[in-house]
């Protein structure tokens, strides 16, 4: 990070793959410091958006899924940030698939938080791919890819909760709150 009197706090060529959260403060006027005996309170702002993903399955009682991974495509992951004259990102590069979560989770029948990830704020069609194993009372399917999409217009510092549902027809429904 750096500071520029015209651009404010600057984060150059940030990549969400770096895996850390960014924070910045708004400008503090010198006269405020004089009125508070040199003590200045700083209010930290988040320049990124937070995606929180919940998941559940609505399969028949004799069926189930084992969730292996969740990938999102449609987001740009690189950009530069300036806090002045107003907070803004300049996005760089192309949208690339991004692994949000991997592991093994038996498909919950009640809504359960799967993961959260800080992303660069942007307006985008998010295309999700859920990799899972599916079983019914008579057969099993390995490494099935279920896909669903949602459009989001994201702003800095905001939380976006998305609800993914594996339906009884083996489709992935994506909803926002």
């Amino acid at each position: 990070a750096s500071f520029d009197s015209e651009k404010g706090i600057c984060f150059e060529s940030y990549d969400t793959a770096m895996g850390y959260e960014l924070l910045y403060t708004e400008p503090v006027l010198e006269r405020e410091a004089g009125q508070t005996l040199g003590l200045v309170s700083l209010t930290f702002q988040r320049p990124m958006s937070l995606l929180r993903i919940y998941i559940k399955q609505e399969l028949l009682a004799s069926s189930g899924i084992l969730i292996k991974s969740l990938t999102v495509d449609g987001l740009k992951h690189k950009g530069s940030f300036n806090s002045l004259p107003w907070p803004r990102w300049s996005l760089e590069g192309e949208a690339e698939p991004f692994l949000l979560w991997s592991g093994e989770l038996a498909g919950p029948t009640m809504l359960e938080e799967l993961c959260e990830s800080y992303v660069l704020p942007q307006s985008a069609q998010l295309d999700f791919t859920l990799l899972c194993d599916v079983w019914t009372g008579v057969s099993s399917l390995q490494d099935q890819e279920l896909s669903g999409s949602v459009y989001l217009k994201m702003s800095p510092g905001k939380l976006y909760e998305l609800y993914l549902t594996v339906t009884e027809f083996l489709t992935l429904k994506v909803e926002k709150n």
Side-chain angles (χ1 to χ4, degrees):
S2 63
F3 176 78
D4 179 278
S5 60
E6 292 181 18
K7 296 179 183 178
I9 301 294
C10 304
F11 300 113
E12 299 294 330
S13 299
Y14 178 77
D15 186 337
T16 55
M18 294 176 181
Y20 53 84
E21 181 183 359
L22 301 176
L23 296 171
Y24 72 97
T25 62
E26 294 178 339
V28 177
L29 301 175
E30 285 184 37
R31 68 174 182 265
E32 288 180 35
Q35 294 171 350
T36 59
L37 302 174
L39 299 175
V40 178
S41 65
L42 298 175
T43 303
F44 286 93
Q45 307 291 324
R46 288 183 166 82
M48 299 174 70
S49 300
L50 178 61
L51 279 183
R52 185 171 294 146
I53 312 290
Y54 297 90
I55 193 159
K56 71 175 181 175
Q57 55 105 0
E58 295 178 342
L59 301 177
L60 300 175
S62 61
S63 302
I65 61 170
L66 178 67
I67 299 166
K68 294 181 172 181
S69 68
L70 179 65
T71 305
V72 64
D73 197 0
L75 284 174
K76 293 186 177 184
H77 304 287
K78 299 175 184 173
S80 295
F81 174 82
N82 297 326
S83 65
L84 294 176
W86 62 87
R88 69 186 182 284
W89 282 94
S90 299
L91 300 179
E92 303 163 2
E94 298 299 317
E96 299 173 357
F98 183 74
L99 180 66
L100 288 171
W101 182 88
S102 71
E104 288 191 349
L105 175 68
T109 55
M110 302 298 290
L111 209 53
E112 184 174 309
E113 184 177 331
L114 181 66
C115 61
E116 60 180 34
S117 180
Y118 283 100
V119 298
L120 302 183
Q122 57 199 279
S123 296
Q125 177 76 23
L126 305 184
D127 300 315
F128 291 92
T129 302
L130 185 73
L131 180 67
C132 59
D133 294 341
V134 181
W135 65 90
T136 65
V138 293
S139 66
S140 66
L141 303 168
Q142 303 296 309
D143 296 330
Q144 296 300 296
E145 289 187 355
L146 307 179
S147 299
S149 299
V150 68
Y151 180 82
L152 279 183
K153 183 176 182 178
M154 297 176 276
S155 300
K158 301 291 183 190
L159 167 66
Y160 298 89
E161 295 180 313
L162 299 177
Y163 302 93
L164 281 56
T165 303
V166 177
T167 70
E168 62 184 297
F169 304 109
L170 288 183
T171 59
L172 184 64
K173 181 171 62 173
V174 182
E175 299 172 297
K176 55 188 171 185
N177 74 349

PDB file of all heavy atoms in Angstrom, residues 51-65:
ATOM      1  N   LEU A  51     -18.400 -12.216  -0.215  1.00  0.00           N
ATOM      2  CA  LEU A  51     -19.384 -13.205  -0.650  1.00  0.00           C
ATOM      3  C   LEU A  51     -19.479 -14.272   0.427  1.00  0.00           C
ATOM      4  O   LEU A  51     -18.465 -14.846   0.825  1.00  0.00           O
ATOM      5  CB  LEU A  51     -18.931 -13.902  -1.936  1.00  0.00           C
ATOM      6  CG  LEU A  51     -19.127 -13.229  -3.265  1.00  0.00           C
ATOM      7  CD1 LEU A  51     -18.668 -14.155  -4.393  1.00  0.00           C
ATOM      8  CD2 LEU A  51     -20.550 -12.804  -3.483  1.00  0.00           C
ATOM      9  N   ARG A  52     -20.682 -14.534   0.900  1.00  0.00           N
ATOM     10  CA  ARG A  52     -20.906 -15.621   1.861  1.00  0.00           C
ATOM     11  C   ARG A  52     -21.872 -16.598   1.198  1.00  0.00           C
ATOM     12  O   ARG A  52     -22.953 -16.215   0.777  1.00  0.00           O
ATOM     13  CB  ARG A  52     -21.466 -15.100   3.172  1.00  0.00           C
ATOM     14  CG  ARG A  52     -21.589 -16.186   4.226  1.00  0.00           C
ATOM     15  CD  ARG A  52     -21.936 -15.636   5.592  1.00  0.00           C
ATOM     16  NE  ARG A  52     -20.837 -14.821   6.095  1.00  0.00           N
ATOM     17  CZ  ARG A  52     -21.007 -13.739   6.856  1.00  0.00           C
ATOM     18  NH1 ARG A  52     -22.222 -13.341   7.198  1.00  0.00           N
ATOM     19  NH2 ARG A  52     -19.962 -13.058   7.286  1.00  0.00           N
ATOM     20  N   ILE A  53     -21.454 -17.857   1.097  1.00  0.00           N
ATOM     21  CA  ILE A  53     -22.196 -18.873   0.368  1.00  0.00           C
ATOM     22  C   ILE A  53     -22.798 -19.887   1.343  1.00  0.00           C
ATOM     23  O   ILE A  53     -22.090 -20.448   2.176  1.00  0.00           O
ATOM     24  CB  ILE A  53     -21.286 -19.635  -0.618  1.00  0.00           C
ATOM     25  CG1 ILE A  53     -20.443 -18.688  -1.468  1.00  0.00           C
ATOM     26  CG2 ILE A  53     -22.087 -20.622  -1.453  1.00  0.00           C
ATOM     27  CD1 ILE A  53     -21.168 -17.894  -2.481  1.00  0.00           C
ATOM     28  N   TYR A  54     -24.099 -20.097   1.204  1.00  0.00           N
ATOM     29  CA  TYR A  54     -24.822 -21.117   1.969  1.00  0.00           C
ATOM     30  C   TYR A  54     -25.280 -22.195   1.000  1.00  0.00           C
ATOM     31  O   TYR A  54     -25.523 -21.915  -0.177  1.00  0.00           O
ATOM     32  CB  TYR A  54     -26.050 -20.511   2.658  1.00  0.00           C
ATOM     33  CG  TYR A  54     -25.716 -19.461   3.681  1.00  0.00           C
ATOM     34  CD1 TYR A  54     -25.609 -18.128   3.315  1.00  0.00           C
ATOM     35  CD2 TYR A  54     -25.519 -19.803   5.017  1.00  0.00           C
ATOM     36  CE1 TYR A  54     -25.300 -17.149   4.255  1.00  0.00           C
ATOM     37  CE2 TYR A  54     -25.215 -18.835   5.959  1.00  0.00           C
ATOM     38  CZ  TYR A  54     -25.109 -17.507   5.571  1.00  0.00           C
ATOM     39  OH  TYR A  54     -24.805 -16.549   6.500  1.00  0.00           O
ATOM     40  N   ILE A  55     -25.426 -23.419   1.501  1.00  0.00           N
ATOM     41  CA  ILE A  55     -25.837 -24.509   0.624  1.00  0.00           C
ATOM     42  C   ILE A  55     -26.780 -25.461   1.340  1.00  0.00           C
ATOM     43  O   ILE A  55     -26.725 -25.602   2.573  1.00  0.00           O
ATOM     44  CB  ILE A  55     -24.610 -25.278   0.078  1.00  0.00           C
ATOM     45  CG1 ILE A  55     -25.029 -26.196  -1.068  1.00  0.00           C
ATOM     46  CG2 ILE A  55     -23.886 -26.030   1.182  1.00  0.00           C
ATOM     47  CD1 ILE A  55     -23.885 -26.586  -1.965  1.00  0.00           C
ATOM     48  N   LYS A  56     -27.642 -26.100   0.563  1.00  0.00           N
ATOM     49  CA  LYS A  56     -28.490 -27.172   1.061  1.00  0.00           C
ATOM     50  C   LYS A  56     -28.897 -28.028  -0.125  1.00  0.00           C
ATOM     51  O   LYS A  56     -28.721 -27.642  -1.282  1.00  0.00           O
ATOM     52  CB  LYS A  56     -29.723 -26.648   1.793  1.00  0.00           C
ATOM     53  CG  LYS A  56     -30.770 -26.007   0.907  1.00  0.00           C
ATOM     54  CD  LYS A  56     -32.011 -25.639   1.698  1.00  0.00           C
ATOM     55  CE  LYS A  56     -33.047 -25.020   0.784  1.00  0.00           C
ATOM     56  NZ  LYS A  56     -34.301 -24.765   1.482  1.00  0.00           N
ATOM     57  N   GLN A  57     -29.434 -29.220   0.176  1.00  0.00           N
ATOM     58  CA  GLN A  57     -29.921 -30.090  -0.883  1.00  0.00           C
ATOM     59  C   GLN A  57     -31.366 -30.473  -0.605  1.00  0.00           C
ATOM     60  O   GLN A  57     -31.780 -30.540   0.547  1.00  0.00           O
ATOM     61  CB  GLN A  57     -29.026 -31.331  -1.029  1.00  0.00           C
ATOM     62  CG  GLN A  57     -28.847 -32.126   0.249  1.00  0.00           C
ATOM     63  CD  GLN A  57     -29.650 -33.418   0.262  1.00  0.00           C
ATOM     64  OE1 GLN A  57     -30.354 -33.729  -0.684  1.00  0.00           O
ATOM     65  NE2 GLN A  57     -29.548 -34.151   1.341  1.00  0.00           N
ATOM     66  N   GLU A  58     -32.106 -30.639  -1.686  1.00  0.00           N
ATOM     67  CA  GLU A  58     -33.523 -30.999  -1.581  1.00  0.00           C
ATOM     68  C   GLU A  58     -33.799 -32.306  -2.323  1.00  0.00           C
ATOM     69  O   GLU A  58     -34.781 -32.426  -3.038  1.00  0.00           O
ATOM     70  CB  GLU A  58     -34.396 -29.873  -2.150  1.00  0.00           C
ATOM     71  CG  GLU A  58     -34.315 -28.592  -1.371  1.00  0.00           C
ATOM     72  CD  GLU A  58     -35.144 -27.461  -1.974  1.00  0.00           C
ATOM     73  OE1 GLU A  58     -35.514 -27.543  -3.169  1.00  0.00           O
ATOM     74  OE2 GLU A  58     -35.405 -26.491  -1.239  1.00  0.00           O
ATOM     75  N   LEU A  59     -32.901 -33.282  -2.147  1.00  0.00           N
ATOM     76  CA  LEU A  59     -33.073 -34.572  -2.807  1.00  0.00           C
ATOM     77  C   LEU A  59     -34.067 -35.432  -2.033  1.00  0.00           C
ATOM     78  O   LEU A  59     -34.397 -35.150  -0.880  1.00  0.00           O
ATOM     79  CB  LEU A  59     -31.720 -35.279  -2.920  1.00  0.00           C
ATOM     80  CG  LEU A  59     -30.633 -34.521  -3.694  1.00  0.00           C
ATOM     81  CD1 LEU A  59     -29.332 -35.297  -3.660  1.00  0.00           C
ATOM     82  CD2 LEU A  59     -31.057 -34.250  -5.122  1.00  0.00           C
ATOM     83  N   LEU A  60     -34.525 -36.489  -2.672  1.00  0.00           N
ATOM     84  CA  LEU A  60     -35.411 -37.430  -2.007  1.00  0.00           C
ATOM     85  C   LEU A  60     -34.695 -38.058  -0.817  1.00  0.00           C
ATOM     86  O   LEU A  60     -33.459 -38.142  -0.785  1.00  0.00           O
ATOM     87  CB  LEU A  60     -35.856 -38.508  -2.990  1.00  0.00           C
ATOM     88  CG  LEU A  60     -36.632 -37.992  -4.223  1.00  0.00           C
ATOM     89  CD1 LEU A  60     -36.899 -39.139  -5.188  1.00  0.00           C
ATOM     90  CD2 LEU A  60     -37.918 -37.308  -3.809  1.00  0.00           C
ATOM     91  N   ALA A  61     -35.443 -38.556   0.143  1.00  0.00           N
ATOM     92  CA  ALA A  61     -34.863 -39.102   1.378  1.00  0.00           C
ATOM     93  C   ALA A  61     -33.891 -40.248   1.109  1.00  0.00           C
ATOM     94  O   ALA A  61     -32.931 -40.444   1.853  1.00  0.00           O
ATOM     95  CB  ALA A  61     -35.973 -39.558   2.318  1.00  0.00           C
ATOM     96  N   SER A  62     -34.104 -41.023   0.041  1.00  0.00           N
ATOM     97  CA  SER A  62     -33.230 -42.160  -0.267  1.00  0.00           C
ATOM     98  C   SER A  62     -31.999 -41.741  -1.070  1.00  0.00           C
ATOM     99  O   SER A  62     -31.187 -42.576  -1.436  1.00  0.00           O
ATOM    100  CB  SER A  62     -34.017 -43.219  -1.045  1.00  0.00           C
ATOM    101  OG  SER A  62     -34.477 -42.661  -2.268  1.00  0.00           O
ATOM    102  N   SER A  63     -31.843 -40.439  -1.361  1.00  0.00           N
ATOM    103  CA  SER A  63     -30.731 -39.935  -2.168  1.00  0.00           C
ATOM    104  C   SER A  63     -29.868 -38.986  -1.344  1.00  0.00           C
ATOM    105  O   SER A  63     -30.279 -38.512  -0.292  1.00  0.00           O
ATOM    106  CB  SER A  63     -31.265 -39.190  -3.390  1.00  0.00           C
ATOM    107  OG  SER A  63     -32.089 -40.010  -4.166  1.00  0.00           O
ATOM    108  N   GLY A  64     -28.696 -38.685  -1.861  1.00  0.00           N
ATOM    109  CA  GLY A  64     -27.820 -37.733  -1.184  1.00  0.00           C
ATOM    110  C   GLY A  64     -26.679 -37.295  -2.075  1.00  0.00           C
ATOM    111  O   GLY A  64     -26.496 -37.815  -3.179  1.00  0.00           O
ATOM    112  N   ILE A  65     -25.918 -36.335  -1.605  1.00  0.00           N
ATOM    113  CA  ILE A  65     -24.750 -35.846  -2.343  1.00  0.00           C
ATOM    114  C   ILE A  65     -23.567 -35.695  -1.396  1.00  0.00           C
ATOM    115  O   ILE A  65     -23.740 -35.500  -0.195  1.00  0.00           O
ATOM    116  CB  ILE A  65     -25.015 -34.497  -3.052  1.00  0.00           C
ATOM    117  CG1 ILE A  65     -25.371 -33.404  -2.043  1.00  0.00           C
ATOM    118  CG2 ILE A  65     -26.062 -34.635  -4.126  1.00  0.00           C
ATOM    119  CD1 ILE A  65     -25.404 -32.010  -2.648  1.00  0.00           C
TER     120      ILE A  65
END
